[in-house]
Amino acid sequence: MKGGFAFKSMGVQVFALLAIGMSVAAILAFFLADYDRRDSARREYEERVADRVLDVIARLDRSSADQMAGIPSLEGNGPGSVDQWPIDERVTKRVRARLASDAPTVTVYAAPDVCTPAPVPPRRTGEKTPAMGLPAAPPRPLGPGCRVAALQYHAGPPVLVPVPTPPVPPNDRRAFDPLILPLIVLAALGLAYWVSRKATYPIRRMAEAAAGLGVNIDRAPLIIEGPTEVQQAAKAFNLMQMRLKTQTEERTLMLAAITHDLQTPLTRQRLRLEKVQDSVLREELLQDYFAMQELIRDGLELARIGAATEALQPLDIGSLLESLCQDARDAGQPVTLGPVVDGTVATHPAALKRCLSNLIDNALKYGGSAEVSALAQGDVIYIQVTDNGPGIPEADRETAMRPFVRLDRSVDSGTEGAGLGLTIARMLAERSGAVLVLDNAEIGGLVASVAVKLWK
């Protein structure tokens, strides 16, 4: 599954296609070059053989009749009839194309491995070599490159003349060094990696911008650069960011205005509730008043979180937790500070502090006490707030962090609330660059863990 997921990446697919395509193209190009070299060498060899045949014919034409009559046929010395020798069609065609119309008909045979030249009478002292120029050395095999030219004149049997051909070019030589192929493949891999990174960079940049937009809506807009399509996508993303920012600001201003306008009637209501003579009724009405006031305050806090902006800063986690616990103890709350690892985290200090304060308040409300600790794993510090309450079933933990959701445990405990405590805590954690996770302690109670990355 992991390998299949990796291959779904656009960068991996582009890299694989380019690497395979360029490698195959390079290998095919080399083999085509090798074939072309061999074909060129074969054509050149055939031209050289044709030149030798034409040279022999020219020498024979310049020889006298007695010299021509003295040329023996190879029928008696060769391995058999000329019908048993394969005709070299290509050389024959080249020779005939270059002969005059009154020249003899020439057929060039590729003789077998044993092909001896015709003997020539030894030269007398001072006598010149015959015009046909055949070697006077003892008969010897000419090898697989031997050719026999059959010259058919106007009458009589064909004259068979051995032709000394040039050495046959070796077929095992390549047009390139095979060791170059691995270098070509490595170069193709490097080029494919660079192209895939270049091609997927705009997508990665857009994904990072979209992820950062959820944390900080006031982040810097994307730079308009690159191809036309990439510039259009960047412009659309920046326009979306601007509209989201405008909507968030309008929502925050609206909630702030509503909260401000509600303060005056709530204050008058509080004054009038104090005048109620029935103490039981007065307490019930005051509880409703406080619940309404808390709901308005939480709603405004929820709206402010989305609009708040703060830069990432280094923060000493030990000092922060000690300060939070000391403030809670000064207020008479049963909050204890457990083991705390030393470390500096990268966070938004105000958002993280409000997040932990909400978690401590939540632990005191539903568990009666709170213990704060911090431990490190790799490059992450886990800040844990543990209470002594009933905990939350695993199936309900995600639901508990949704807005305006109160589980049965809070109702049974008689606590009041709008169901925004954990929602605000999670949003504050995300705003501070952290992650909030809920879990039940082994000995009972809820453990709220905030994972924050260390400052680098």
Side-chain angles (χ1 to χ4, degrees), residues 251-260 263 293-306 420 424:
R251 184 186 66 175
T252 304
L253 290 174
M254 180 184 66
L255 289 176
I258 293 174
T259 303
H260 179 271
Q263 293 300 323
Q293 193 176 43
E294 182 179 0
L295 178 61
I296 294 174
R297 183 175 60 250
D298 289 346
L300 183 61
E301 177 72 14
L302 196 63
R304 286 174 176 170
I305 292 174
L420 292 174
I424 294 175

mmCIF file with all atom_site columns, all heavy atoms in Angstrom, residues 251-260 263 293-306 420 424:
data_model
loop_
_atom_site.group_PDB
_atom_site.id
_atom_site.type_symbol
_atom_site.label_atom_id
_atom_site.label_alt_id
_atom_site.label_comp_id
_atom_site.label_asym_id
_atom_site.label_entity_id
_atom_site.label_seq_id
_atom_site.pdbx_PDB_ins_code
_atom_site.Cartn_x
_atom_site.Cartn_y
_atom_site.Cartn_z
_atom_site.occupancy
_atom_site.B_iso_or_equiv
_atom_site.pdbx_formal_charge
_atom_site.auth_seq_id
_atom_site.auth_comp_id
_atom_site.auth_asym_id
_atom_site.auth_atom_id
_atom_site.pdbx_PDB_model_num
ATOM 1   N N   . ARG A 1 251 ? -17.324 38.606 9.740  1.00 0.00 ? 251 ARG A N   1
ATOM 2   C CA  . ARG A 1 251 ? -17.963 37.786 10.774 1.00 0.00 ? 251 ARG A CA  1
ATOM 3   C C   . ARG A 1 251 ? -17.511 38.204 12.170 1.00 0.00 ? 251 ARG A C   1
ATOM 4   O O   . ARG A 1 251 ? -18.313 38.303 13.099 1.00 0.00 ? 251 ARG A O   1
ATOM 5   C CB  . ARG A 1 251 ? -17.627 36.309 10.544 1.00 0.00 ? 251 ARG A CB  1
ATOM 6   C CG  . ARG A 1 251 ? -18.333 35.361 11.507 1.00 0.00 ? 251 ARG A CG  1
ATOM 7   C CD  . ARG A 1 251 ? -17.859 33.948 11.332 1.00 0.00 ? 251 ARG A CD  1
ATOM 8   N NE  . ARG A 1 251 ? -16.448 33.813 11.716 1.00 0.00 ? 251 ARG A NE  1
ATOM 9   C CZ  . ARG A 1 251 ? -15.801 32.643 11.747 1.00 0.00 ? 251 ARG A CZ  1
ATOM 10  N NH1 . ARG A 1 251 ? -16.415 31.541 11.382 1.00 0.00 ? 251 ARG A NH1 1
ATOM 11  N NH2 . ARG A 1 251 ? -14.542 32.598 12.111 1.00 0.00 ? 251 ARG A NH2 1
ATOM 12  N N   . THR A 1 252 ? -16.215 38.464 12.315 1.00 0.00 ? 252 THR A N   1
ATOM 13  C CA  . THR A 1 252 ? -15.706 38.881 13.620 1.00 0.00 ? 252 THR A CA  1
ATOM 14  C C   . THR A 1 252 ? -16.302 40.224 14.042 1.00 0.00 ? 252 THR A C   1
ATOM 15  O O   . THR A 1 252 ? -16.702 40.400 15.203 1.00 0.00 ? 252 THR A O   1
ATOM 16  C CB  . THR A 1 252 ? -14.173 38.975 13.568 1.00 0.00 ? 252 THR A CB  1
ATOM 17  O OG1 . THR A 1 252 ? -13.637 37.720 13.137 1.00 0.00 ? 252 THR A OG1 1
ATOM 18  C CG2 . THR A 1 252 ? -13.606 39.323 14.933 1.00 0.00 ? 252 THR A CG2 1
ATOM 19  N N   . LEU A 1 253 ? -16.358 41.168 13.103 1.00 0.00 ? 253 LEU A N   1
ATOM 20  C CA  . LEU A 1 253 ? -16.941 42.470 13.423 1.00 0.00 ? 253 LEU A CA  1
ATOM 21  C C   . LEU A 1 253 ? -18.419 42.347 13.788 1.00 0.00 ? 253 LEU A C   1
ATOM 22  O O   . LEU A 1 253 ? -18.909 43.023 14.699 1.00 0.00 ? 253 LEU A O   1
ATOM 23  C CB  . LEU A 1 253 ? -16.766 43.418 12.238 1.00 0.00 ? 253 LEU A CB  1
ATOM 24  C CG  . LEU A 1 253 ? -15.326 43.879 11.952 1.00 0.00 ? 253 LEU A CG  1
ATOM 25  C CD1 . LEU A 1 253 ? -15.279 44.696 10.664 1.00 0.00 ? 253 LEU A CD1 1
ATOM 26  C CD2 . LEU A 1 253 ? -14.779 44.694 13.123 1.00 0.00 ? 253 LEU A CD2 1
ATOM 27  N N   . MET A 1 254 ? -19.126 41.463 13.089 1.00 0.00 ? 254 MET A N   1
ATOM 28  C CA  . MET A 1 254 ? -20.543 41.292 13.382 1.00 0.00 ? 254 MET A CA  1
ATOM 29  C C   . MET A 1 254 ? -20.742 40.717 14.782 1.00 0.00 ? 254 MET A C   1
ATOM 30  O O   . MET A 1 254 ? -21.571 41.201 15.562 1.00 0.00 ? 254 MET A O   1
ATOM 31  C CB  . MET A 1 254 ? -21.173 40.375 12.344 1.00 0.00 ? 254 MET A CB  1
ATOM 32  C CG  . MET A 1 254 ? -22.670 40.124 12.558 1.00 0.00 ? 254 MET A CG  1
ATOM 33  S SD  . MET A 1 254 ? -23.342 38.949 11.372 1.00 0.00 ? 254 MET A SD  1
ATOM 34  C CE  . MET A 1 254 ? -22.455 37.458 11.861 1.00 0.00 ? 254 MET A CE  1
ATOM 35  N N   . LEU A 1 255 ? -19.954 39.673 15.120 1.00 0.00 ? 255 LEU A N   1
ATOM 36  C CA  . LEU A 1 255 ? -20.088 39.085 16.451 1.00 0.00 ? 255 LEU A CA  1
ATOM 37  C C   . LEU A 1 255 ? -19.647 40.071 17.531 1.00 0.00 ? 255 LEU A C   1
ATOM 38  O O   . LEU A 1 255 ? -20.249 40.124 18.615 1.00 0.00 ? 255 LEU A O   1
ATOM 39  C CB  . LEU A 1 255 ? -19.253 37.806 16.527 1.00 0.00 ? 255 LEU A CB  1
ATOM 40  C CG  . LEU A 1 255 ? -19.791 36.614 15.727 1.00 0.00 ? 255 LEU A CG  1
ATOM 41  C CD1 . LEU A 1 255 ? -18.820 35.442 15.821 1.00 0.00 ? 255 LEU A CD1 1
ATOM 42  C CD2 . LEU A 1 255 ? -21.168 36.199 16.239 1.00 0.00 ? 255 LEU A CD2 1
ATOM 43  N N   . ALA A 1 256 ? -18.605 40.844 17.247 1.00 0.00 ? 256 ALA A N   1
ATOM 44  C CA  . ALA A 1 256 ? -18.175 41.831 18.236 1.00 0.00 ? 256 ALA A CA  1
ATOM 45  C C   . ALA A 1 256 ? -19.258 42.884 18.461 1.00 0.00 ? 256 ALA A C   1
ATOM 46  O O   . ALA A 1 256 ? -19.508 43.305 19.602 1.00 0.00 ? 256 ALA A O   1
ATOM 47  C CB  . ALA A 1 256 ? -16.877 42.487 17.783 1.00 0.00 ? 256 ALA A CB  1
ATOM 48  N N   . ALA A 1 257 ? -19.900 43.292 17.357 1.00 0.00 ? 257 ALA A N   1
ATOM 49  C CA  . ALA A 1 257 ? -20.973 44.279 17.507 1.00 0.00 ? 257 ALA A CA  1
ATOM 50  C C   . ALA A 1 257 ? -22.150 43.705 18.287 1.00 0.00 ? 257 ALA A C   1
ATOM 51  O O   . ALA A 1 257 ? -22.732 44.379 19.154 1.00 0.00 ? 257 ALA A O   1
ATOM 52  C CB  . ALA A 1 257 ? -21.426 44.744 16.129 1.00 0.00 ? 257 ALA A CB  1
ATOM 53  N N   . ILE A 1 258 ? -22.510 42.447 17.999 1.00 0.00 ? 258 ILE A N   1
ATOM 54  C CA  . ILE A 1 258 ? -23.620 41.822 18.729 1.00 0.00 ? 258 ILE A CA  1
ATOM 55  C C   . ILE A 1 258 ? -23.281 41.696 20.205 1.00 0.00 ? 258 ILE A C   1
ATOM 56  O O   . ILE A 1 258 ? -24.112 41.978 21.092 1.00 0.00 ? 258 ILE A O   1
ATOM 57  C CB  . ILE A 1 258 ? -23.936 40.449 18.114 1.00 0.00 ? 258 ILE A CB  1
ATOM 58  C CG1 . ILE A 1 258 ? -24.504 40.617 16.708 1.00 0.00 ? 258 ILE A CG1 1
ATOM 59  C CG2 . ILE A 1 258 ? -24.920 39.675 18.990 1.00 0.00 ? 258 ILE A CG2 1
ATOM 60  C CD1 . ILE A 1 258 ? -24.715 39.318 15.979 1.00 0.00 ? 258 ILE A CD1 1
ATOM 61  N N   . THR A 1 259 ? -22.051 41.277 20.478 1.00 0.00 ? 259 THR A N   1
ATOM 62  C CA  . THR A 1 259 ? -21.645 41.132 21.878 1.00 0.00 ? 259 THR A CA  1
ATOM 63  C C   . THR A 1 259 ? -21.665 42.472 22.594 1.00 0.00 ? 259 THR A C   1
ATOM 64  O O   . THR A 1 259 ? -22.121 42.580 23.742 1.00 0.00 ? 259 THR A O   1
ATOM 65  C CB  . THR A 1 259 ? -20.226 40.530 21.941 1.00 0.00 ? 259 THR A CB  1
ATOM 66  O OG1 . THR A 1 259 ? -20.219 39.287 21.249 1.00 0.00 ? 259 THR A OG1 1
ATOM 67  C CG2 . THR A 1 259 ? -19.807 40.299 23.376 1.00 0.00 ? 259 THR A CG2 1
ATOM 68  N N   . HIS A 1 260 ? -21.164 43.490 21.925 1.00 0.00 ? 260 HIS A N   1
ATOM 69  C CA  . HIS A 1 260 ? -21.167 44.816 22.542 1.00 0.00 ? 260 HIS A CA  1
ATOM 70  C C   . HIS A 1 260 ? -22.589 45.301 22.797 1.00 0.00 ? 260 HIS A C   1
ATOM 71  O O   . HIS A 1 260 ? -22.911 45.856 23.862 1.00 0.00 ? 260 HIS A O   1
ATOM 72  C CB  . HIS A 1 260 ? -20.418 45.794 21.635 1.00 0.00 ? 260 HIS A CB  1
ATOM 73  C CG  . HIS A 1 260 ? -20.386 47.193 22.164 1.00 0.00 ? 260 HIS A CG  1
ATOM 74  N ND1 . HIS A 1 260 ? -21.369 48.135 21.877 1.00 0.00 ? 260 HIS A ND1 1
ATOM 75  C CD2 . HIS A 1 260 ? -19.498 47.827 22.994 1.00 0.00 ? 260 HIS A CD2 1
ATOM 76  C CE1 . HIS A 1 260 ? -21.096 49.259 22.496 1.00 0.00 ? 260 HIS A CE1 1
ATOM 77  N NE2 . HIS A 1 260 ? -19.943 49.107 23.172 1.00 0.00 ? 260 HIS A NE2 1
ATOM 78  N N   . GLN A 1 263 ? -24.237 43.678 25.847 1.00 0.00 ? 263 GLN A N   1
ATOM 79  C CA  . GLN A 1 263 ? -23.727 43.977 27.179 1.00 0.00 ? 263 GLN A CA  1
ATOM 80  C C   . GLN A 1 263 ? -24.681 44.892 27.964 1.00 0.00 ? 263 GLN A C   1
ATOM 81  O O   . GLN A 1 263 ? -24.907 44.691 29.158 1.00 0.00 ? 263 GLN A O   1
ATOM 82  C CB  . GLN A 1 263 ? -22.347 44.650 27.070 1.00 0.00 ? 263 GLN A CB  1
ATOM 83  C CG  . GLN A 1 263 ? -21.259 43.747 26.528 1.00 0.00 ? 263 GLN A CG  1
ATOM 84  C CD  . GLN A 1 263 ? -21.048 42.519 27.407 1.00 0.00 ? 263 GLN A CD  1
ATOM 85  O OE1 . GLN A 1 263 ? -21.125 42.589 28.650 1.00 0.00 ? 263 GLN A OE1 1
ATOM 86  N NE2 . GLN A 1 263 ? -20.804 41.393 26.770 1.00 0.00 ? 263 GLN A NE2 1
ATOM 87  N N   . GLN A 1 293 ? -24.098 34.633 29.401 1.00 0.00 ? 293 GLN A N   1
ATOM 88  C CA  . GLN A 1 293 ? -22.887 35.446 29.306 1.00 0.00 ? 293 GLN A CA  1
ATOM 89  C C   . GLN A 1 293 ? -21.694 34.601 28.838 1.00 0.00 ? 293 GLN A C   1
ATOM 90  O O   . GLN A 1 293 ? -20.883 35.033 28.024 1.00 0.00 ? 293 GLN A O   1
ATOM 91  C CB  . GLN A 1 293 ? -22.606 36.082 30.661 1.00 0.00 ? 293 GLN A CB  1
ATOM 92  C CG  . GLN A 1 293 ? -21.562 37.195 30.610 1.00 0.00 ? 293 GLN A CG  1
ATOM 93  C CD  . GLN A 1 293 ? -21.387 37.850 31.962 1.00 0.00 ? 293 GLN A CD  1
ATOM 94  O OE1 . GLN A 1 293 ? -21.332 37.171 33.006 1.00 0.00 ? 293 GLN A OE1 1
ATOM 95  N NE2 . GLN A 1 293 ? -21.308 39.170 31.976 1.00 0.00 ? 293 GLN A NE2 1
ATOM 96  N N   . GLU A 1 294 ? -21.596 33.360 29.352 1.00 0.00 ? 294 GLU A N   1
ATOM 97  C CA  . GLU A 1 294 ? -20.501 32.469 28.938 1.00 0.00 ? 294 GLU A CA  1
ATOM 98  C C   . GLU A 1 294 ? -20.643 32.077 27.474 1.00 0.00 ? 294 GLU A C   1
ATOM 99  O O   . GLU A 1 294 ? -19.639 31.988 26.739 1.00 0.00 ? 294 GLU A O   1
ATOM 100 C CB  . GLU A 1 294 ? -20.491 31.219 29.818 1.00 0.00 ? 294 GLU A CB  1
ATOM 101 C CG  . GLU A 1 294 ? -19.352 30.266 29.487 1.00 0.00 ? 294 GLU A CG  1
ATOM 102 C CD  . GLU A 1 294 ? -19.348 29.040 30.382 1.00 0.00 ? 294 GLU A CD  1
ATOM 103 O OE1 . GLU A 1 294 ? -20.235 28.924 31.255 1.00 0.00 ? 294 GLU A OE1 1
ATOM 104 O OE2 . GLU A 1 294 ? -18.453 28.194 30.207 1.00 0.00 ? 294 GLU A OE2 1
ATOM 105 N N   . LEU A 1 295 ? -21.889 31.853 27.025 1.00 0.00 ? 295 LEU A N   1
ATOM 106 C CA  . LEU A 1 295 ? -22.119 31.498 25.641 1.00 0.00 ? 295 LEU A CA  1
ATOM 107 C C   . LEU A 1 295 ? -21.687 32.634 24.709 1.00 0.00 ? 295 LEU A C   1
ATOM 108 O O   . LEU A 1 295 ? -21.035 32.408 23.690 1.00 0.00 ? 295 LEU A O   1
ATOM 109 C CB  . LEU A 1 295 ? -23.602 31.169 25.429 1.00 0.00 ? 295 LEU A CB  1
ATOM 110 C CG  . LEU A 1 295 ? -24.022 30.823 23.994 1.00 0.00 ? 295 LEU A CG  1
ATOM 111 C CD1 . LEU A 1 295 ? -23.275 29.591 23.510 1.00 0.00 ? 295 LEU A CD1 1
ATOM 112 C CD2 . LEU A 1 295 ? -25.525 30.598 23.923 1.00 0.00 ? 295 LEU A CD2 1
ATOM 113 N N   . ILE A 1 296 ? -22.020 33.857 25.087 1.00 0.00 ? 296 ILE A N   1
ATOM 114 C CA  . ILE A 1 296 ? -21.626 34.999 24.266 1.00 0.00 ? 296 ILE A CA  1
ATOM 115 C C   . ILE A 1 296 ? -20.107 35.157 24.260 1.00 0.00 ? 296 ILE A C   1
ATOM 116 O O   . ILE A 1 296 ? -19.492 35.417 23.223 1.00 0.00 ? 296 ILE A O   1
ATOM 117 C CB  . ILE A 1 296 ? -22.310 36.279 24.782 1.00 0.00 ? 296 ILE A CB  1
ATOM 118 C CG1 . ILE A 1 296 ? -23.829 36.178 24.582 1.00 0.00 ? 296 ILE A CG1 1
ATOM 119 C CG2 . ILE A 1 296 ? -21.758 37.511 24.076 1.00 0.00 ? 296 ILE A CG2 1
ATOM 120 C CD1 . ILE A 1 296 ? -24.599 37.322 25.198 1.00 0.00 ? 296 ILE A CD1 1
ATOM 121 N N   . ARG A 1 297 ? -19.490 34.971 25.413 1.00 0.00 ? 297 ARG A N   1
ATOM 122 C CA  . ARG A 1 297 ? -18.044 35.123 25.505 1.00 0.00 ? 297 ARG A CA  1
ATOM 123 C C   . ARG A 1 297 ? -17.323 34.050 24.677 1.00 0.00 ? 297 ARG A C   1
ATOM 124 O O   . ARG A 1 297 ? -16.355 34.337 23.959 1.00 0.00 ? 297 ARG A O   1
ATOM 125 C CB  . ARG A 1 297 ? -17.612 35.058 26.967 1.00 0.00 ? 297 ARG A CB  1
ATOM 126 C CG  . ARG A 1 297 ? -16.104 35.293 27.156 1.00 0.00 ? 297 ARG A CG  1
ATOM 127 C CD  . ARG A 1 297 ? -15.731 35.354 28.621 1.00 0.00 ? 297 ARG A CD  1
ATOM 128 N NE  . ARG A 1 297 ? -16.056 34.114 29.304 1.00 0.00 ? 297 ARG A NE  1
ATOM 129 C CZ  . ARG A 1 297 ? -17.040 33.991 30.203 1.00 0.00 ? 297 ARG A CZ  1
ATOM 130 N NH1 . ARG A 1 297 ? -17.796 35.035 30.514 1.00 0.00 ? 297 ARG A NH1 1
ATOM 131 N NH2 . ARG A 1 297 ? -17.287 32.835 30.791 1.00 0.00 ? 297 ARG A NH2 1
ATOM 132 N N   . ASP A 1 298 ? -17.825 32.790 24.761 1.00 0.00 ? 298 ASP A N   1
ATOM 133 C CA  . ASP A 1 298 ? -17.198 31.714 23.989 1.00 0.00 ? 298 ASP A CA  1
ATOM 134 C C   . ASP A 1 298 ? -17.393 31.923 22.492 1.00 0.00 ? 298 ASP A C   1
ATOM 135 O O   . ASP A 1 298 ? -16.495 31.634 21.693 1.00 0.00 ? 298 ASP A O   1
ATOM 136 C CB  . ASP A 1 298 ? -17.778 30.363 24.406 1.00 0.00 ? 298 ASP A CB  1
ATOM 137 C CG  . ASP A 1 298 ? -17.323 29.941 25.802 1.00 0.00 ? 298 ASP A CG  1
ATOM 138 O OD1 . ASP A 1 298 ? -16.369 30.554 26.309 1.00 0.00 ? 298 ASP A OD1 1
ATOM 139 O OD2 . ASP A 1 298 ? -17.933 29.013 26.364 1.00 0.00 ? 298 ASP A OD2 1
ATOM 140 N N   . GLY A 1 299 ? -18.572 32.362 22.103 1.00 0.00 ? 299 GLY A N   1
ATOM 141 C CA  . GLY A 1 299 ? -18.809 32.614 20.688 1.00 0.00 ? 299 GLY A CA  1
ATOM 142 C C   . GLY A 1 299 ? -17.895 33.686 20.137 1.00 0.00 ? 299 GLY A C   1
ATOM 143 O O   . GLY A 1 299 ? -17.357 33.569 19.025 1.00 0.00 ? 299 GLY A O   1
ATOM 144 N N   . LEU A 1 300 ? -17.693 34.755 20.922 1.00 0.00 ? 300 LEU A N   1
ATOM 145 C CA  . LEU A 1 300 ? -16.797 35.810 20.492 1.00 0.00 ? 300 LEU A CA  1
ATOM 146 C C   . LEU A 1 300 ? -15.354 35.312 20.445 1.00 0.00 ? 300 LEU A C   1
ATOM 147 O O   . LEU A 1 300 ? -14.591 35.654 19.532 1.00 0.00 ? 300 LEU A O   1
ATOM 148 C CB  . LEU A 1 300 ? -16.923 37.016 21.429 1.00 0.00 ? 300 LEU A CB  1
ATOM 149 C CG  . LEU A 1 300 ? -16.077 38.238 21.055 1.00 0.00 ? 300 LEU A CG  1
ATOM 150 C CD1 . LEU A 1 300 ? -16.476 38.749 19.680 1.00 0.00 ? 300 LEU A CD1 1
ATOM 151 C CD2 . LEU A 1 300 ? -16.225 39.328 22.098 1.00 0.00 ? 300 LEU A CD2 1
ATOM 152 N N   . GLU A 1 301 ? -14.981 34.483 21.412 1.00 0.00 ? 301 GLU A N   1
ATOM 153 C CA  . GLU A 1 301 ? -13.629 33.919 21.417 1.00 0.00 ? 301 GLU A CA  1
ATOM 154 C C   . GLU A 1 301 ? -13.407 33.041 20.195 1.00 0.00 ? 301 GLU A C   1
ATOM 155 O O   . GLU A 1 301 ? -12.349 33.064 19.565 1.00 0.00 ? 301 GLU A O   1
ATOM 156 C CB  . GLU A 1 301 ? -13.417 33.104 22.698 1.00 0.00 ? 301 GLU A CB  1
ATOM 157 C CG  . GLU A 1 301 ? -12.076 32.406 22.799 1.00 0.00 ? 301 GLU A CG  1
ATOM 158 C CD  . GLU A 1 301 ? -10.937 33.381 23.048 1.00 0.00 ? 301 GLU A CD  1
ATOM 159 O OE1 . GLU A 1 301 ? -11.205 34.552 23.402 1.00 0.00 ? 301 GLU A OE1 1
ATOM 160 O OE2 . GLU A 1 301 ? -9.779  32.970 22.882 1.00 0.00 ? 301 GLU A OE2 1
ATOM 161 N N   . LEU A 1 302 ? -14.429 32.261 19.836 1.00 0.00 ? 302 LEU A N   1
ATOM 162 C CA  . LEU A 1 302 ? -14.328 31.388 18.671 1.00 0.00 ? 302 LEU A CA  1
ATOM 163 C C   . LEU A 1 302 ? -14.124 32.203 17.396 1.00 0.00 ? 302 LEU A C   1
ATOM 164 O O   . LEU A 1 302 ? -13.358 31.829 16.509 1.00 0.00 ? 302 LEU A O   1
ATOM 165 C CB  . LEU A 1 302 ? -15.594 30.529 18.563 1.00 0.00 ? 302 LEU A CB  1
ATOM 166 C CG  . LEU A 1 302 ? -15.538 29.307 17.645 1.00 0.00 ? 302 LEU A CG  1
ATOM 167 C CD1 . LEU A 1 302 ? -14.499 28.315 18.145 1.00 0.00 ? 302 LEU A CD1 1
ATOM 168 C CD2 . LEU A 1 302 ? -16.907 28.650 17.564 1.00 0.00 ? 302 LEU A CD2 1
ATOM 169 N N   . ALA A 1 303 ? -14.821 33.326 17.298 1.00 0.00 ? 303 ALA A N   1
ATOM 170 C CA  . ALA A 1 303 ? -14.687 34.179 16.115 1.00 0.00 ? 303 ALA A CA  1
ATOM 171 C C   . ALA A 1 303 ? -13.326 34.864 16.084 1.00 0.00 ? 303 ALA A C   1
ATOM 172 O O   . ALA A 1 303 ? -12.728 35.038 15.011 1.00 0.00 ? 303 ALA A O   1
ATOM 173 C CB  . ALA A 1 303 ? -15.799 35.216 16.099 1.00 0.00 ? 303 ALA A CB  1
ATOM 174 N N   . ARG A 1 304 ? -12.819 35.254 17.248 1.00 0.00 ? 304 ARG A N   1
ATOM 175 C CA  . ARG A 1 304 ? -11.539 35.955 17.284 1.00 0.00 ? 304 ARG A CA  1
ATOM 176 C C   . ARG A 1 304 ? -10.382 35.038 16.912 1.00 0.00 ? 304 ARG A C   1
ATOM 177 O O   . ARG A 1 304 ? -9.365  35.499 16.389 1.00 0.00 ? 304 ARG A O   1
ATOM 178 C CB  . ARG A 1 304 ? -11.307 36.530 18.682 1.00 0.00 ? 304 ARG A CB  1
ATOM 179 C CG  . ARG A 1 304 ? -12.175 37.759 18.972 1.00 0.00 ? 304 ARG A CG  1
ATOM 180 C CD  . ARG A 1 304 ? -12.014 38.191 20.401 1.00 0.00 ? 304 ARG A CD  1
ATOM 181 N NE  . ARG A 1 304 ? -12.765 39.417 20.679 1.00 0.00 ? 304 ARG A NE  1
ATOM 182 C CZ  . ARG A 1 304 ? -12.955 39.903 21.896 1.00 0.00 ? 304 ARG A CZ  1
ATOM 183 N NH1 . ARG A 1 304 ? -12.442 39.262 22.959 1.00 0.00 ? 304 ARG A NH1 1
ATOM 184 N NH2 . ARG A 1 304 ? -13.642 41.009 22.061 1.00 0.00 ? 304 ARG A NH2 1
ATOM 185 N N   . ILE A 1 305 ? -10.525 33.742 17.190 1.00 0.00 ? 305 ILE A N   1
ATOM 186 C CA  . ILE A 1 305 ? -9.435  32.812 16.887 1.00 0.00 ? 305 ILE A CA  1
ATOM 187 C C   . ILE A 1 305 ? -9.153  32.802 15.398 1.00 0.00 ? 305 ILE A C   1
ATOM 188 O O   . ILE A 1 305 ? -8.001  32.819 14.955 1.00 0.00 ? 305 ILE A O   1
ATOM 189 C CB  . ILE A 1 305 ? -9.782  31.394 17.378 1.00 0.00 ? 305 ILE A CB  1
ATOM 190 C CG1 . ILE A 1 305 ? -9.813  31.357 18.905 1.00 0.00 ? 305 ILE A CG1 1
ATOM 191 C CG2 . ILE A 1 305 ? -8.761  30.390 16.850 1.00 0.00 ? 305 ILE A CG2 1
ATOM 192 C CD1 . ILE A 1 305 ? -10.288 30.041 19.460 1.00 0.00 ? 305 ILE A CD1 1
ATOM 193 N N   . GLY A 1 306 ? -10.218 32.757 14.586 1.00 0.00 ? 306 GLY A N   1
ATOM 194 C CA  . GLY A 1 306 ? -10.031 32.706 13.137 1.00 0.00 ? 306 GLY A CA  1
ATOM 195 C C   . GLY A 1 306 ? -9.412  33.969 12.585 1.00 0.00 ? 306 GLY A C   1
ATOM 196 O O   . GLY A 1 306 ? -8.772  33.948 11.526 1.00 0.00 ? 306 GLY A O   1
ATOM 197 N N   . LEU A 1 420 ? -18.329 24.526 23.829 1.00 0.00 ? 420 LEU A N   1
ATOM 198 C CA  . LEU A 1 420 ? -17.320 25.129 22.959 1.00 0.00 ? 420 LEU A CA  1
ATOM 199 C C   . LEU A 1 420 ? -15.908 25.032 23.530 1.00 0.00 ? 420 LEU A C   1
ATOM 200 O O   . LEU A 1 420 ? -14.958 25.465 22.874 1.00 0.00 ? 420 LEU A O   1
ATOM 201 C CB  . LEU A 1 420 ? -17.651 26.606 22.696 1.00 0.00 ? 420 LEU A CB  1
ATOM 202 C CG  . LEU A 1 420 ? -18.896 26.885 21.853 1.00 0.00 ? 420 LEU A CG  1
ATOM 203 C CD1 . LEU A 1 420 ? -19.174 28.375 21.803 1.00 0.00 ? 420 LEU A CD1 1
ATOM 204 C CD2 . LEU A 1 420 ? -18.737 26.336 20.461 1.00 0.00 ? 420 LEU A CD2 1
ATOM 205 N N   . ILE A 1 424 ? -12.763 25.324 21.086 1.00 0.00 ? 424 ILE A N   1
ATOM 206 C CA  . ILE A 1 424 ? -11.861 26.473 21.149 1.00 0.00 ? 424 ILE A CA  1
ATOM 207 C C   . ILE A 1 424 ? -10.427 26.014 21.401 1.00 0.00 ? 424 ILE A C   1
ATOM 208 O O   . ILE A 1 424 ? -9.474  26.533 20.805 1.00 0.00 ? 424 ILE A O   1
ATOM 209 C CB  . ILE A 1 424 ? -12.331 27.451 22.242 1.00 0.00 ? 424 ILE A CB  1
ATOM 210 C CG1 . ILE A 1 424 ? -13.681 28.063 21.851 1.00 0.00 ? 424 ILE A CG1 1
ATOM 211 C CG2 . ILE A 1 424 ? -11.305 28.545 22.477 1.00 0.00 ? 424 ILE A CG2 1
ATOM 212 C CD1 . ILE A 1 424 ? -14.298 28.950 22.911 1.00 0.00 ? 424 ILE A CD1 1
#
